[in-house]
Amino acid sequence: GAPDALDDSSPPHPTPVHAAPQPKAESPVELLLPDSKQHPNLCIDQHGLVYLIDDSKGNPRLLRVGSPELNALIATEIGKRRNTPSKFAIEAVNDDLKAKAHAEPKYVRTFVRVAPCLPLGVEIDLGDAERTRVRITPGKVETINSGSEALFVSGPLADEMVRPTSDGDVKLLKRYLAFDWESFYLAVGWVTYTLAHPKIDGSKYVVLALQGGQGTGKSFVCTVLSKLVDPCKISGRALPNNPRDLGIAAAGSHLLVFDNVRHISPAMSDTFCLASTGGSIAQRKLYTDNAEQVLNLHVATIINGIYSFIDQPDLAQRTLFIRLEPFKEADRRPEAELRQQLVKDLPKIMRGLIDLIATVFAHLPDVSPTNPSRMIEFSRWLAALERATNMPADTLQHAYLESIDEGQLESLLDNPLAAEILAFVEQCDDWEGTPANLLDKLNESASLAMQRAREWPHTPIALSKRLRTLQAPLLSQGIDVQFSRGKNRTITITKRGATQ
């Protein structure tokens, strides 16, 4: 039935008490993103990483979502609300940021240390607290404290770059390098070229190989060059054992330095070739699933060692070889003293290099390499550098080709088959026959230890395959190897003048 009506004795319903409206507490996300509806400060880069753009002062700064730097900022904001910045709370904010970024994606291109400035030029990120950039265009150098549109990222080991002075002097660099003057200007060419080429499609980096015995200051030279191109908190690294490790190191660096290398395996030689010209490798994300992750391999490299460590011709063709000579006793100075002087000289050296890049940019459209190498972009840069420094044409280009020739010869001598071909051609200038005939001839003179070597071909088919990979480096030493296809396959070996 119907409920009994309330009589006068029934207690009245309590009058609801309405609390004063409280302002809604801002979440850390709302503080990090003041405009939460359109969130223009979130972006996704070419590698699929989400960043928060901090444009609160000067040039923009990127904070990767999930990075320790941004996590510390999120923890601070959570702490301001007297809440515990737990791991789960921080992860929740990061997840929220990623969701917002993907809901209305803003795709951008990020750069490491060097960004392009169209139509011809670059911006260099000094990596300092003021977010300073240096813009270099043909004949012009500018310091940019605000207004830059380039978005830079850096790895955890990246260090601050020296701020250049108003006037520079490249020749001050010579006192820290045990090079002759020709090698010195080749090194200057390598530094300026590497600084002037951001990691974009089409950019190719020449591997710098420094070889010298004890007392030549290899590690110190690498430290000096690293400070000029891409300063790092560690002076040198051990050679990675696999492409994955190289790819991870390359992601946040414009330059990697590998110290005291004794040998580079054929597989890692191929990886360095890929890093020189730009490429990607795929790997499994986790061992528990089949998902793949792409690592981009594109980075400039310096490798130093006492012994000849590049024995693969393909890598040798992408390398600038410079031999370091021991310092004369009269020129020796304690390294601590050199480092102190270097701190004083670096700003002027840096300005000299930057001014030189601006001058090379001005000449670059009007030059052509006289004798281009495989790394034709670097040959062209050297041609413009010759003009910028009033050198006779072909001076540096010729020195570079000689460097490649010498490096390829060393790589050939370290290859058992190539070394035996070189010795064989010394006995007979021209030869023609089948692969089986050639293998018999080579086995006659090759030692038993050489024939047992892993690189030695044991069948005519294996000989033909391995000889094809040696065609270009053998040609650089004046040995032309040709293959004819027909009923009877033949190999023709002709001795002629060396060529690049």
Side-chain angles (χ1 to χ4, degrees), residues 162 176 338-347:
V162 67
Y176 304 100
L338 276 174
R339 287 181 179 275
Q340 287 179 354
Q341 186 62 45
L342 179 63
V343 171
K344 298 177 183 178
D345 287 343
L346 269 179

Side-chain angles (χ1 to χ4, degrees), residues 269-497:
S269 288
D270 292 342
T271 304
F272 275 105
C273 289
L274 191 63
S276 168
T277 53
S280 302
I281 56 172
Q283 63 171 23
R284 286 173 60 182
K285 273 190 175 182
L286 300 171
Y287 289 105
T288 54
D289 60 31
N290 293 322
E292 282 195 319
Q293 169 183 25
V294 175
L295 282 176
N296 291 284
L297 270 174
H298 197 192
V299 70
T301 51
I302 300 177
I303 310 174
N304 78 60
I306 295 176
Y307 308 100
S308 176
F309 46 81
I310 293 180
D311 59 8
Q312 297 299 308
D314 204 29
L315 181 57
Q317 291 174 356
R318 293 170 165 84
T319 301
L320 169 62
F321 296 87
I322 295 182
R323 291 188 179 276
L324 282 71
E325 300 298 330
F327 282 101
K328 297 177 182 178
E329 289 298 328
D331 296 334
R332 287 187 177 278
R333 295 166 61 190
E335 186 170 318
E337 183 182 325
L338 276 174
R339 287 181 179 275
Q340 287 179 354
Q341 186 62 45
L342 179 63
V343 171
K344 298 177 183 178
D345 287 343
L346 269 179
K348 289 182 72 71
I349 294 171
M350 192 71 215
R351 180 62 193 223
L353 292 168
I354 288 173
D355 286 340
L356 194 53
I357 292 172
T359 307
V360 170
F361 275 150
H363 290 293
L364 203 58
D366 303 320
V367 298
S368 297
T370 54
N371 198 356
S373 67
R374 179 168 188 169
M375 305 297 280
I376 188 171
E377 296 84 358
F378 185 58
S379 295
R380 187 175 171 219
W381 186 267
L382 291 178
L385 181 60
E386 290 165 351
R387 190 174 293 185
T389 54
N390 296 316
M391 282 188 192
D394 203 35
T395 302
L396 295 178
Q397 296 175 75
H398 181 70
Y400 171 50
L401 291 177
E402 283 190 333
S403 157
I404 296 175
D405 185 67
E406 187 176 325
Q408 293 219 108
L409 178 58
E410 286 198 7
S411 72
L412 288 171
L413 292 175
D414 287 335
N415 182 297
L417 176 59
E420 202 58 38
I421 290 288
L422 289 170
F424 176 69
V425 172
E426 289 298 319
Q427 303 300 320
C428 56
D429 288 351
D430 299 319
W431 185 90
E432 184 175 347
T434 65
N437 296 150
L438 181 57
L439 184 57
D440 289 340
K441 285 284 186 183
L442 296 176
N443 282 333
E444 287 175 8
S445 55
S447 66
L448 188 60
M450 184 173 285
Q451 293 181 48
R452 289 176 176 173
R454 191 176 182 181
E455 298 85 357
W456 188 259
H458 299 289
T459 66
I461 293 176
L463 172 67
S464 296
K465 288 181 177 179
R466 296 187 182 184
L467 200 53
R468 286 184 187 278
T469 66
L470 296 171
Q471 272 184 292
L474 284 171
L475 185 59
S476 74
Q477 305 304 312
I479 300 172
D480 187 15
V481 179
Q482 296 293 332
F483 297 84
S484 66
R485 289 183 173 273
K487 188 175 182 181
N488 296 315
R489 298 190 176 189
T490 60
I491 298 175
T492 303
I493 302 177
T494 306
K495 188 174 181 180
R496 57 183 62 179

Side-chain angles (χ1 to χ4, degrees), residues 9-320:
S9 63
S10 300
H13 287 296
T15 303
V17 178
H18 297 284
Q22 297 293 322
K24 180 184 176 184
E26 288 182 296
S27 71
V29 175
E30 290 169 333
L31 274 178
L32 294 171
L33 298 171
D35 187 355
S36 59
K37 292 183 179 180
Q38 296 184 349
H39 53 82
N41 289 338
L42 279 173
C43 62
I44 304 172
D45 79 348
Q46 68 271 25
H47 307 301
L49 299 175
V50 178
Y51 290 91
L52 182 71
I53 303 176
D54 173 16
D55 52 7
S56 58
K57 65 172 185 177
N59 294 313
R61 176 181 65 143
L62 290 184
L63 297 168
R64 181 174 59 81
V65 174
S67 67
E69 189 177 15
L70 184 58
N71 286 346
L73 179 60
I74 293 171
T76 300
E77 296 302 331
I78 293 176
K80 286 179 181 178
R81 283 149 190 74
R82 298 181 180 179
N83 294 323
T84 303
S86 67
K87 177 183 176 182
F88 298 106
I90 293 172
E91 285 180 352
V93 176
N94 278 304
D95 290 342
D96 198 359
L97 289 171
K98 289 179 182 178
K100 287 178 180 293
H102 286 285
E104 296 180 22
K106 173 184 177 182
Y107 295 105
V108 299
R109 182 70 188 262
T110 58
F111 301 94
V112 179
R113 191 67 77 178
V114 184
C117 179
L118 300 177
L120 179 60
V122 291
E123 272 191 26
I124 298 175
D125 176 28
L126 297 189
D128 57 5
E130 292 75 27
R131 310 180 191 180
T132 311
R133 316 286 172 73
V134 175
R135 183 177 295 161
I136 313 172
T137 52
K140 187 176 181 181
V141 175
E142 303 170 86
T143 300
I144 308 298
N145 295 309
S146 63
S148 171
E149 295 183 357
L151 298 176
F152 287 100
V153 296
S154 61
L157 297 177
D159 210 350
E160 184 176 334
M161 214 167 188
V162 67
R163 180 184 285 267
T165 55
S166 57
D167 62 319
D169 186 356
V170 171
K171 291 182 180 178
L172 285 176
L173 180 60
K174 178 70 169 64
R175 66 176 62 171
Y176 304 100
L177 308 180
F179 298 167
D180 57 50
W181 278 103
E182 189 174 77
S183 297
F184 169 73
Y185 275 105
L186 282 175
V188 168
W190 181 89
V191 169
T192 53
Y193 173 85
T194 306
L195 269 176
H197 287 78
K199 291 203 285 188
I200 58 176
D201 293 342
S203 288
K204 295 178 173 60
Y205 297 112
V206 176
V207 177
L208 179 59
L210 302 175
Q211 187 179 344
Q214 294 181 351
T216 56
K218 299 182 297 298
S219 297
F220 181 68
V221 168
C222 288
T223 298
V224 174
L225 298 181
S226 175
K227 286 181 178 296
L228 294 169
V229 176
D230 187 21
C232 184
K233 293 174 183 175
I234 58 173
S235 56
R237 306 165 185 257
L239 195 72
N241 295 319
N242 55 68
R244 177 181 177 274
D245 290 344
L246 182 60
I248 291 172
S253 302
H254 186 66
L255 170 69
L256 295 175
V257 177
F258 300 101
D259 205 15
N260 290 318
V261 174
R262 298 179 69 91
H263 175 68
I264 302 176
S265 69
M268 283 308 297
S269 288
D270 292 342
T271 304
F272 275 105
C273 289
L274 191 63
S276 168
T277 53
S280 302
I281 56 172
Q283 63 171 23
R284 286 173 60 182
K285 273 190 175 182
L286 300 171
Y287 289 105
T288 54
D289 60 31
N290 293 322
E292 282 195 319
Q293 169 183 25
V294 175
L295 282 176
N296 291 284
L297 270 174
H298 197 192
V299 70
T301 51
I302 300 177
I303 310 174
N304 78 60
I306 295 176
Y307 308 100
S308 176
F309 46 81
I310 293 180
D311 59 8
Q312 297 299 308
D314 204 29
L315 181 57
Q317 291 174 356
R318 293 170 165 84
T319 301
L320 169 62

